[in-house]
Amino acid sequence: MSDNRYKLMIVDDEYEIRQGLRSFDYSSYHIDVVADCENGLFALQTMMNEQIDLLVTDIRMPLMDGLELAEKVASRYPHMKIIVLSGYDDFEYARTCMKHGSLDYLLKPLDFEDYGKILARAVRMVEQERVHELQRAAWERKAKLSVQHLRKRFLRDLLYSEMKEDTIELESSAAEIMLEEYTEYVVCLLRFTEYPRRPRGVGDKDWALILFTLDNLMQDLWGKGYHYVDVDGQCALIWTDRAAIDGYKEDPQSLAVELEQVIQRLKRFRGLFKSKLIYTIGTVVQQPNQICRSYQEAAALFQQDDTSFRDLPGIEAADPEEAACNVEQINNGQRLIQEAKQFIEHNYDRTITLDDVAEYVHLNASYLSFLFKELTGQKYIDYITSFRIEKAKSLLRHTNHKVHEVGEMVGYENPRYFTLVFKKYNQLSPLEYRNAAYGRELS
């Protein structure tokens, strides 16, 4: 048994029984009796201010009996383990308590040997749940870091290379980045004047802090799209805001004004950023796979004498390149796709990539993507997204979880991205959908 301590509450309307239960040697079970109450109502009041792991309760009590107490505890504190005390005449009540999640029941007069065995089992269950909770929290932290890593890698690839349309669709979903709902894009670059050299006198540790700070500040200072900070301190801003881009086409100085405002706000951290920031603005493009062209245009402007804002013409979108897939035909394709679907259905509540599914069914990721479309008529990303959205709709209709909690429960760590995806599939935001569903139930 671990060194953890477990908190126990005793609830019985008879003072002598409460004292008798308190006299039991709980130390060998790592249990502390933190409260005893004479009825269920007082017990619930105490639970509001005290974390309880184990509850020992009688059934027949004034104001609120053990049956009602067990029902309310199961609803409000599902982690709590309930042990019910009953007389022979209360046997059916005890069985009802078991339906409400009670761990076990004991008949009066109490056999302390049996009591000890039940306590030991309850403690083991609490300990296991604590371990699982720690593992779950550790996994969630890891998953969150994984999403951040995927997001940075995807943005880097999007800026530096002309990615294929299918690749963008798959990787943007894993990175929780929404691009397809936008019709135009512009890349702006912010650089330190000494780029790509570091400012003089800045060591590795200080430079890492500068990059970390710049990345985090841009999340707060700028909300017109997405940003990527490279290892040399260059910050690429991918503008997706339609109003901003429309305004830029009408008045080329408009984006420059917004960029100047961002730089002015960064000047508050002059003690950290020991170099001035300059910027360029690329051309407007109409496809996500052309974002790299806007990036290249902005980078090229730094080679000219005037590194301030320039009015650059837009370019026409090119036809997307046809993706060629050379795959082998296999006889068990349907079985593999079914296994892939089962993996998704058991893991949709966390961040999973096409590579994760492919590894599970022992296939190459590109081949799995091809096979999924061939045999189901549906893209992998469409299947997992629609599956998650259907689960989210059910949770919105039948539970009281907050919208961001529902998003997390179906695998979306970013609440804004969850709302965008949900609205794309339902033409309603999650909150609008819940309100509409609630209205239908009332009518």
Side-chain angles (χ1 to χ4, degrees):
M1 188 176 295
S2 73
D3 292 331
N4 289 332
R5 305 296 298 182
Y6 308 92
K7 296 183 178 181
L8 180 142
M9 173 186 283
I10 298 168
V11 186
D12 196 297
D13 61 330
E14 296 185 45
Y15 175 78
E16 292 78 8
I17 291 180
R18 295 200 304 274
Q19 292 302 109
L21 287 170
R22 271 190 171 274
S23 68
F24 182 78
D25 181 14
Y26 294 96
S27 59
S28 59
Y29 301 92
H30 294 247
I31 293 174
D32 298 318
V33 179
V34 295
D36 63 75
C37 303
E38 60 189 72
N39 60 62
L41 184 59
F42 292 167
L44 282 179
Q45 290 176 332
T46 304
M47 288 175 192
M48 293 177 64
N49 302 308
E50 186 74 60
Q51 176 71 40
I52 305 297
D53 300 304
L54 311 171
L55 171 66
V56 179
T57 180
D58 188 20
I59 289 181
R60 294 183 180 273
M61 297 179 293
L63 298 181
M64 180 184 292
D65 62 22
L67 180 60
E68 186 177 356
L69 175 62
E71 184 177 1
K72 292 185 181 300
V73 166
S75 173
R76 301 179 188 180
Y77 311 102
H79 67 279
M80 200 180 302
K81 304 299 173 241
I82 307 173
I83 301 170
V84 176
L85 305 179
S86 72
Y88 285 104
D89 293 340
D90 298 329
F91 180 70
E92 289 302 319
Y93 287 105
R95 292 183 60 180
T96 303
C97 287
M98 297 290 289
K99 293 179 181 179
H100 291 305
S102 298
L103 174 64
D104 212 332
Y105 65 90
L106 290 169
L107 296 175
K108 296 178 180 178
L110 191 62
D111 184 319
F112 280 103
E113 183 177 351
D114 291 341
Y115 184 52
K117 291 178 181 178
I118 293 176
L119 288 176
R121 182 155 63 97
V123 164
R124 285 195 301 270
M125 293 176 67
V126 174
E127 179 67 16
Q128 289 172 357
E129 289 177 7
R130 286 183 179 180
V131 170
H132 291 159
E133 181 62 25
L134 288 173
Q135 291 173 338
R136 185 188 65 80
W139 185 91
E140 287 181 350
R141 288 194 298 271
K142 183 178 179 180
K144 190 170 184 178
L145 290 173
S146 175
V147 170
Q148 293 172 352
H149 173 73
L150 291 171
R151 184 176 297 132
K152 288 183 178 181
R153 187 179 69 181
F154 171 71
L155 290 173
R156 179 200 63 197
D157 293 345
L158 190 69
L159 290 163
Y160 295 171
S161 62
E162 191 163 334
M163 301 172 69
K164 294 181 179 179
E165 185 177 341
D166 285 349
T167 304
I168 290 176
E169 186 175 11
L170 286 171
E171 294 190 9
S172 65
S173 176
E176 297 193 356
I177 288 177
M178 178 72 75
L179 289 175
E180 56 194 43
E181 71 168 31
Y182 306 111
T183 56
E184 292 181 311
Y185 313 87
V186 177
V187 175
C188 305
L189 296 181
L190 298 180
R191 283 183 179 178
F192 295 107
T193 51
E194 298 184 34
Y195 181 92
R197 299 188 307 274
R198 297 181 190 178
R200 185 175 303 174
V202 176
D204 291 344
K205 185 176 181 180
D206 290 338
W207 186 243
L209 177 61
I210 288 172
L211 297 183
F212 175 80
T213 305
L214 180 59
D215 187 27
N216 281 270
L217 286 174
M218 293 310 301
Q219 294 182 31
D220 297 328
L221 299 180
W222 183 78
K224 303 292 185 179
Y226 303 97
H227 75 278
Y228 172 74
V229 178
D230 70 17
V231 294
D232 293 316
Q234 175 179 261
C235 181
L237 307 178
I238 304 175
W239 294 70
T240 57
D241 185 88
R242 183 173 300 172
I245 295 175
D246 287 344
Y248 165 59
K249 290 189 293 186
E250 294 178 7
D251 177 12
Q253 290 293 330
S254 61
L255 289 192
V257 171
E258 294 204 44
L259 286 170
E260 291 288 357
Q261 291 175 350
V262 171
I263 291 174
Q264 288 297 321
R265 296 171 75 181
L266 286 172
K267 284 182 179 179
R268 292 179 299 162
F269 303 90
R270 185 171 296 280
L272 182 63
F273 301 130
K274 301 176 181 178
S275 177
K276 292 183 179 180
L277 282 166
I278 54 177
Y279 65 87
T280 57
I281 302 175
T283 188
V284 177
V285 294
Q286 285 78 37
Q287 297 288 339
N289 64 352
Q290 295 176 332
I291 287 174
C292 62
R293 300 186 188 181
S294 185
Y295 168 83
Q296 292 164 1
E297 183 79 39
L301 287 175
F302 280 117
Q303 307 305 317
Q304 303 179 21
D305 293 335
D306 182 8
T307 57
S308 61
F309 172 82
R310 294 176 179 274
D311 182 13
L312 301 171
I315 62 173
E316 295 296 323
D319 291 331
E321 180 181 352
E322 291 285 325
C325 298
N326 298 318
V327 296
E328 299 177 359
Q329 296 298 319
I330 58 174
N331 296 325
N332 62 346
Q334 292 286 359
R335 178 182 62 80
L336 290 171
I337 294 303
Q338 186 60 32
E339 288 179 3
K341 287 183 175 181
Q342 289 174 352
F343 180 84
I344 292 169
E345 292 167 8
H346 287 93
N347 296 277
Y348 69 91
D349 58 344
R350 65 179 180 88
T351 300
I352 54 174
T353 65
L354 178 62
D355 288 335
D356 294 328
V357 184
E359 182 179 355
Y360 178 77
V361 297
H362 307 293
L363 286 179
N364 175 275
S366 298
Y367 182 41
L368 174 60
S369 178
F370 167 84
L371 196 63
F372 206 101
K373 180 71 184 299
E374 278 290 296
L375 298 182
T376 68
Q378 188 178 27
K379 292 181 180 179
Y380 158 82
I381 192 61
D382 290 335
Y383 176 83
I384 189 173
T385 303
S386 61
F387 185 88
R388 282 170 162 162
I389 294 304
E390 287 303 311
K391 291 291 184 181
K393 289 164 65 176
S394 177
L395 289 168
L396 290 167
R397 289 196 306 268
H398 303 302
T399 74
N400 292 324
H401 292 294
K402 297 178 181 178
V403 169
H404 74 88
E405 292 174 336
V406 170
E408 292 172 355
M409 292 168 72
V410 297
Y412 292 104
E413 182 261 333
N414 187 318
R416 178 175 176 270
Y417 181 75
F418 168 60
T419 298
L420 289 172
V421 174
F422 190 97
K423 195 166 186 177
K424 175 188 173 184
Y425 276 75
N426 297 282
Q427 288 73 54
L428 295 172
S429 70
L431 187 57
E432 290 170 341
Y433 178 86
R434 168 173 276 170
N435 291 338
Y438 182 71
R440 287 194 295 271
E441 291 178 0
L442 291 180
S443 63

